[in-house]
Amino acid sequence: MLLETKRANFMGIAERIKAPGNTAKQAGKKPAKRSAKAGKLPLNQILKMDCVEAMASLPDESVDMIFADPPYNLQLGGDLYRPEGSQVDAVDDAWDQFDSFAVYDAFTRAWLKEARRILKPNGSLWVIGSYHNIFRVGASLQDLGYWILNDIIWRKANPMPNFKGTRFTNAHETLIWASKSEKAKYTFNYRAMKNLNDELQMRSDWVMPICGGQERLKRNGVKAHPTQKPEALLYRVMLATTNPGDVVLDPFFGTGTTGAVAKRLGRDWIGCEKEDSYCEVAEERIAAALPLDESSLKTMQSPKSKPRVAFGTLVETGYLKPGDELCSKNRKFRAKVRADGSLVWKGQEGSIHKIGATVQDAPSCNGWTYWYYKDGKDLKPIDDLRQTYLLATEP
């Protein structure tokens, strides 16, 4: 996942494309073999091959959701240095370099075409990108018959500054959410998203910090991948648009964020990744992931842009886990936390505020101060966790 596929994943296609509109077949590439029958899917496995060839090996209409973080084609012009002289660890890998926009567009159409074929009629696709590539990807999506449902702005709470001072600080990335057709009955768990956001409709601008702290994967003290995405981002995407047991495919699997989150949320996954070093990291990471469980994520966030903390944020980031029990201070009432940040009590479900009011037969309730969680032998108000989260995400 992430912006994490090696140039070797696609250069076999790109090098044979000389002009706009050329297909792999016209360029001399033999079409990849496709599965003629709906056979057994390679669930919870990494297909260690080119992403287009990997998808071409899968049956038609076999996948519920695709999350794609393709190369952004950043077109970087030389090294970048901070004011004090240190060099910025920018994305300058070969897999993010294309000879022309025409080559990039042909690559984009190739993987989007296979993605559309393997999507179920009511499936959906997510693709993330920056201003360098997302508009080109969006045009290709529409040309191929996808129906765009939303564009989501992921606003980074702690973006990298513009060190040269020549442009606005690039503080966001864009996600496109699309169905296979205009009439598709795609999955959208509206209530889960509203619960996750403290009973307010989830908006199309999401404020989350970039991946850092304990979540950032490293090998020998060096980032395992330069553009690892935060698990909270995939948690929200998957919780919103898939159901337990669904099959989620990631054509650019990288270090396996999609697989790890899918395992936590009870979804099956398929990854496509040719680079051995990424596959090794991903396999170790997913093997260590526990369903509906993970360690607390320590991230950095600018206090000036710090968002309101919803209860669902504590669940997304692992401060509380689905299945944890909350109780009133006198221990008389107990409710369980669910994956979408809602509580369930005697068959009734709702936000921390709604269930708090229900158990007391009261018109309203401040759930942050009413509900307590168990910390060892002690009971502490969940508001303490909110404060802990805020402190942990300060720069």
Side-chain angles (χ1 to χ4, degrees):
M1 187 212 98
L2 322 166
L3 190 151
E4 299 176 339
T5 184
K6 193 80 171 172
R7 191 182 190 187
N9 284 24
F10 55 79
M11 287 309 293
I13 296 173
E15 289 175 353
R16 281 184 278 266
I17 298 171
K18 302 300 183 181
N22 282 4
T23 64
K25 184 177 180 181
Q26 291 170 332
K29 181 179 176 64
K30 293 182 179 179
K33 293 182 179 179
R34 291 179 178 172
S35 177
K37 298 181 180 179
K40 186 177 180 180
L41 289 172
L43 298 179
N44 308 315
Q45 297 180 41
I46 303 175
L47 304 180
K48 300 178 181 180
M49 64 181 80
D50 171 89
C51 66
V52 177
E53 294 176 358
M55 287 189 286
S57 71
L58 301 178
D60 294 348
E61 301 181 350
S62 58
V63 172
D64 296 287
M65 193 265 273
I66 293 173
F67 183 89
D69 188 358
Y72 286 9
N73 192 23
L74 294 178
Q75 310 133 50
L76 298 178
D79 295 333
L80 180 63
Y81 294 90
R82 297 181 177 86
E84 80 280 4
S86 62
Q87 186 173 348
V88 176
D89 184 17
V91 183
D92 55 3
D93 303 77
W95 48 256
D96 194 55
Q97 298 171 11
F98 292 79
D99 293 335
S100 67
F101 286 132
V103 173
Y104 186 81
D105 291 345
F107 165 68
T108 299
R109 290 192 297 270
W111 73 259
L112 281 175
K113 185 177 180 180
E114 283 302 324
R116 192 168 190 276
R117 181 186 63 80
I118 64 175
L119 267 180
K120 293 180 180 179
N122 295 325
S124 65
L125 175 140
W126 288 80
V127 59
I128 186 170
S130 70
Y131 68 88
H132 301 89
N133 73 321
I134 197 64
F135 304 110
R136 309 188 76 86
V137 173
S140 293
L141 276 168
Q142 292 180 314
D143 289 344
L144 290 171
Y146 289 90
W147 186 258
I148 294 179
L149 300 168
N150 271 119
D151 64 325
I152 304 293
I153 299 300
W154 167 33
R155 185 159 66 87
K156 302 173 183 178
N158 54 335
M160 180 184 294
N162 184 276
F163 294 108
K164 292 184 178 180
T166 57
R167 304 184 187 182
F168 297 108
T169 297
N170 185 26
H172 77 277
E173 292 183 27
T174 301
L175 298 94
I176 296 176
W177 177 37
S179 60
K180 193 170 180 178
S181 68
E182 182 180 0
K183 296 182 179 180
K185 297 180 180 178
Y186 55 89
T187 295
F188 178 52
N189 297 316
Y190 169 79
R191 172 51 59 183
M193 289 297 97
K194 195 170 182 181
N195 286 336
L196 201 65
N197 199 39
D198 279 355
E199 288 297 322
L200 295 175
Q201 285 189 338
M202 185 72 75
R203 292 162 43 121
S204 62
D205 53 337
W206 300 351
V207 181
M208 295 180 183
I210 61 176
C211 185
Q214 294 180 0
E215 187 183 359
R216 168 64 73 175
L217 301 175
K218 295 184 178 181
R219 285 293 182 271
N220 300 318
V222 179
K223 294 177 183 178
H225 194 280
T227 58
Q228 182 182 338
K229 298 297 188 295
E231 289 193 8
L233 184 69
L234 268 294
Y235 188 107
R236 187 173 297 185
V237 165
M238 221 170 287
L239 193 67
T241 58
T242 66
N243 294 308
D246 280 357
V247 178
V248 178
L249 180 136
D250 188 333
F252 310 97
F253 200 61
T255 54
T257 302
T258 296
V261 175
K263 184 177 179 181
R264 288 173 53 201
L265 290 175
R267 279 70 166 163
D268 288 312
W269 58 270
I270 300 172
C272 309
E273 177 55 58
K274 192 172 184 179
E275 176 56 39
D276 289 338
S277 61
Y278 292 160
C279 291
E280 182 180 348
V281 174
E283 288 169 345
E284 292 177 4
R285 177 187 193 179
I286 296 169
L290 297 175
L292 295 177
D293 190 11
E294 72 168 334
S295 299
S296 297
L297 305 178
K298 293 183 179 180
T299 56
M300 296 177 64
Q301 197 172 95
S302 169
K304 291 184 179 180
S305 60
K306 188 180 298 178
R308 177 182 59 84
V309 179
F311 180 70
T313 298
L314 302 183
V315 182
E316 283 182 318
T317 53
Y319 283 79
L320 285 170
K321 299 179 289 295
D324 280 353
E325 188 176 73
L326 303 182
C327 64
S328 57
K329 188 174 183 180
N330 60 7
R331 301 177 187 261
K332 181 178 179 181
F333 300 108
R334 299 175 185 273
K336 283 192 175 182
V337 178
R338 300 200 304 182
D340 62 1
S342 63
L343 300 185
V344 59
W345 173 78
K346 292 186 177 181
Q348 300 191 59
E349 55 189 42
S351 68
I352 56 173
H353 313 296
K354 180 180 178 180
I355 297 301
T358 299
V359 300
Q360 298 177 86
D361 195 23
S364 63
C365 171
N366 182 351
W368 288 107
T369 56
Y370 180 77
W371 292 109
Y372 284 68
Y373 74 101
K374 194 172 183 180
D375 182 16
K377 295 183 179 180
D378 300 326
L379 285 180
K380 294 182 179 179
I382 57 174
D383 191 51
D384 284 7
L385 285 180
R386 177 167 61 169
Q387 301 308 317
T388 300
Y389 172 83
L390 289 172
L391 290 173
T393 54
E394 287 182 353

